[in-house]
C-alpha cells in the first residue's frame, strides 16, 4: 500500500509539472509590431557585426554595415541591459524565431532566451523610433 501511495504521488507530481511546462506564454502587446515593421521568418547569411539593447526583452542586431534587425525575446532578460556579451544559436547561416535562442553572459549567470520575433529595420531613423516607442533613449 505504501508503494502505491508513493507511485500515485509521483504520477500526480509528474502530471502537474508537465502541465506547467506546456502552458503558453503571453508576450507584451508592445512587442507586436507586425503593422509597423517588416517581420522576417529568418535571417540568412547570419553574421553578428554588433548589437545594442533596446530594453530587457529586445535588442538591435547588426549583420552588415547597413542591415539591422529588431530581435524580440520570449521573456524578459534582466541581465541583457548590463551584459557586454551575447551569442545567438544558428543553423548553418540562418537564425529563425521560435527555434534559435540568445545566450546572455552575465557572470555568474549564463541564461538562454528563445527568440520570439525578428523584424527588419530600414535605417537608423527607424531604430530611434523603436527606442522611443519602447521607452528608451
Amino acid at each position: 500500500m505504501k508503494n502505491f501511495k508513493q507511485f500515485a504521488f509521483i504520477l500526480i507530481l509528474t502530471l502537474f509539472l508537465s502541465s506547467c511546462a506546456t502552458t503558453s506564454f503571453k508576450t507584451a502587446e508592445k512587442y507586436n509590431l507586425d503593422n509597423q515593421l517588416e517581420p522576417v521568418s529568418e535571417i540568412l547569411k547570419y553574421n553578428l557585426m554588433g548589437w545594442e539593447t533596446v530594453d530587457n526583452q529586445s535588442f538591435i542586431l547588426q549583420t552588415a554595415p547597413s542591415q539591422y534587425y529588431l530581435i524580440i525575446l520570449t521573456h524578459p532578460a534582466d541581465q541583457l541591459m548590463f551584459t557586454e556579451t551575447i551569442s545567438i544559436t544558428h543553423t548553418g547561416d540562418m537564425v529563425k524565431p521560435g527555434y534559435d535562442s540568445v545566450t546572455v553572459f552575465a557572470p555568474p549567470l549564463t541564461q538562454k532566451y528563445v527568440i520570439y520575433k525578428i523584424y527588419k529595420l530600414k535605417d537608423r531613423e527607424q531604430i530611434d523610433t523603436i527606442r522611443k516607442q519602447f521607452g528608451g533613449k
Side-chain angles (χ1 to χ4, degrees):
M1 186 64 143
K2 184 178 178 183
N3 287 340
F4 177 73
K5 286 182 181 179
Q6 287 176 340
F7 176 74
F9 176 74
I10 291 172
L11 180 63
I12 290 170
L13 184 63
T14 303
L15 290 173
F16 175 74
L17 291 175
S18 66
S19 68
C20 291
T22 59
T23 303
S24 63
F25 65 91
K26 177 97 170 115
T27 302
E29 189 60 33
K30 75 177 185 177
Y31 296 114
N32 185 5
L33 303 170
D34 290 354
N35 295 332
Q36 183 180 350
L37 300 174
E38 176 189 347
V40 294
S41 60
E42 65 214 11
I43 299 174
L44 296 173
K45 300 187 191 286
Y46 166 74
N47 179 29
L48 175 61
M49 284 190 67
W51 66 281
E52 54 188 271
T53 59
V54 176
D55 64 8
N56 68 349
Q57 197 168 342
S58 63
F59 64 93
I60 307 295
L61 173 68
Q62 183 178 7
T63 59
S66 61
Q67 197 165 31
Y68 301 95
Y69 296 92
L70 175 64
I71 307 293
I72 310 286
L73 305 176
T74 55
H75 300 291
D78 295 329
Q79 297 300 320
L80 183 62
M81 300 292 287
F82 308 107
T83 189
E84 294 181 14
T85 309
I86 64 168
S87 69
I88 302 173
T89 61
H90 53 90
T91 306
D93 59 356
M94 182 177 12
V95 175
K96 296 183 86 162
Y99 181 75
D100 290 307
S101 62
V102 175
T103 302
V104 177
F105 298 95
L109 301 174
T110 298
Q111 297 181 321
K112 279 190 169 190
Y113 300 90
V114 175
I115 297 172
Y116 173 61
K117 286 198 174 193
I118 301 175
Y119 294 101
K120 186 169 180 61
L121 300 170
K122 294 178 188 171
D123 52 24
R124 270 285 186 204
E125 186 177 309
Q126 203 170 38
I127 292 172
D128 293 339
T129 301
I130 292 301
R131 282 189 174 287
K132 289 175 186 166
Q133 184 175 332
F134 285 5
K137 8 177 179 166

